[in-house]
């Protein structure tokens, strides 16, 4: 209830609040819409089949670059990682399998971790929680959520949720985050959250110093 009150103090109309939509939702939904222009499932598969790996990677990076989801050093590490042809191909194939592949969620997530961890790096490591989760969040906000570790850990503490966190990416952490998101969605069902964009934004309000 304390977290709900904080959110409604900033956005009295909840997820329908015009200020909320302007500050938190619009730019994330716009990123999803730009993603769908080129990388919805059938278009993504067609580009893969034609070997257009660099085009896939460039579009993905371009869409993310117009958000403030990643830190600048993470954006730079990602751009460097997908510049080489081998990096672009690994990224494109791995991301498609993560989003649309067969098998259990855990198996797809763990394979995606391996792909991101294997991408070329110059200085900064590419395998961080934000880089690992940002593309699922942009591409499929109906089922994937974005993890900013410090903010999310603080939000979970404020909410009274025992978030199982480790800095090294692992399925158990992401599964714990999905459980947290499901609880928040259940508790806020009267506010009618539309997707993980609304859930992630609620979590952000609880943990970010932008909303003290």
């Amino acid at each position: 209830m304390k977290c709900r009150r904080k959110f409604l103090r900033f956005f009295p109309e909840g997820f329908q609040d015009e200020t909320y939509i302007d500050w938190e939702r619009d730019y994330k939904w716009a990123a999803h819409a730009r993603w769908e222009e080129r990388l919805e499932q059938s278009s993504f598969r067609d580009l893969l089949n034609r070997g257009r790996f660099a085009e896939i990677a460039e579009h993905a990076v371009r869409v993310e670059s117009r958000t403030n989801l990643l830190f600048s050093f993470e954006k730079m590490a990602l751009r460097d990682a997908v510049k080489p042809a081998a990096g672009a191909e690994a990224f494109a194939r791995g991301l498609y399998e993560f989003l649309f592949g067969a098998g259990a969620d855990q198996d797809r997530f763990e394979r995606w971790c391996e792909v991101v961890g294997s991408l070329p790096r110059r200085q900064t490591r590419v395998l961080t929680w934000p880089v690992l989760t940002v593309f699922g969040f942009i591409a499929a906000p109906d089922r994937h959520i974005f993890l900013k570790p410090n903010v999310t850990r603080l939000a979970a503490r404020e909410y009274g949720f025992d978030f199982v966190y480790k800095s090294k990416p692992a399925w158990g952490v992401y599964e714990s985050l999905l459980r947290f998101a499901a609880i928040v969605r259940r508790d806020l069902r009267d506010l009618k959250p539309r997707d993980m964009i609304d859930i992630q934004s609620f979590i952000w309000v609880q943990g970010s110093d932008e909303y003290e």
Side-chain angles (χ1 to χ4, degrees), residues 7-139:
F7 184 76
L8 293 176
R9 187 165 68 248
F10 287 99
F11 307 118
E13 300 300 318
F15 297 118
Q16 311 306 318
D17 193 278
E18 289 185 5
T19 303
Y20 163 75
I21 292 171
D22 183 42
W23 288 5
E24 291 294 338
R25 182 173 177 85
D26 263 359
Y27 76 93
K28 297 168 188 170
W29 184 255
H32 172 64
R34 285 192 295 272
W35 184 277
E36 289 286 285
E37 289 172 4
R38 300 287 298 281
L39 294 179
E40 54 81 30
Q41 185 173 359
S42 60
S43 299
F44 199 148
R45 184 172 58 247
D46 180 61
L47 289 169
L48 274 183
N49 290 339
R50 292 191 287 136
R52 306 290 287 272
F53 310 120
E55 188 174 334
I56 293 167
E58 287 168 6
H59 185 69
V61 170
R62 188 181 310 115
V63 168
E64 189 290 318
S65 71
R66 296 175 67 178
T67 75
N68 61 4
L69 295 171
L70 297 183
F71 289 127
S72 58
F73 70 86
E74 291 169 326
K75 292 177 187 285
M76 188 177 304
L78 181 61
R79 285 196 302 268
D80 289 342
V82 299
K83 275 182 183 177
E89 180 174 356
F91 174 85
R93 291 189 184 279
L95 182 56
Y96 184 89
E97 287 302 313
F98 173 56
L99 294 174
F100 308 116
D105 291 346
Q106 178 175 352
D107 294 337
R108 296 200 315 277
F109 180 85
E110 289 176 346
R111 288 196 298 269
W112 177 231
C113 284
E114 291 173 4
V115 168
V116 176
S118 70
L119 292 175
R121 58 175 288 183
R122 282 190 176 179
Q123 296 176 328
T124 306
R125 65 192 178 99
V126 186
L127 185 58
T128 67
W129 275 113
V131 172
L132 189 67
T133 56
V134 72
F135 294 109
F137 180 61
I138 291 173

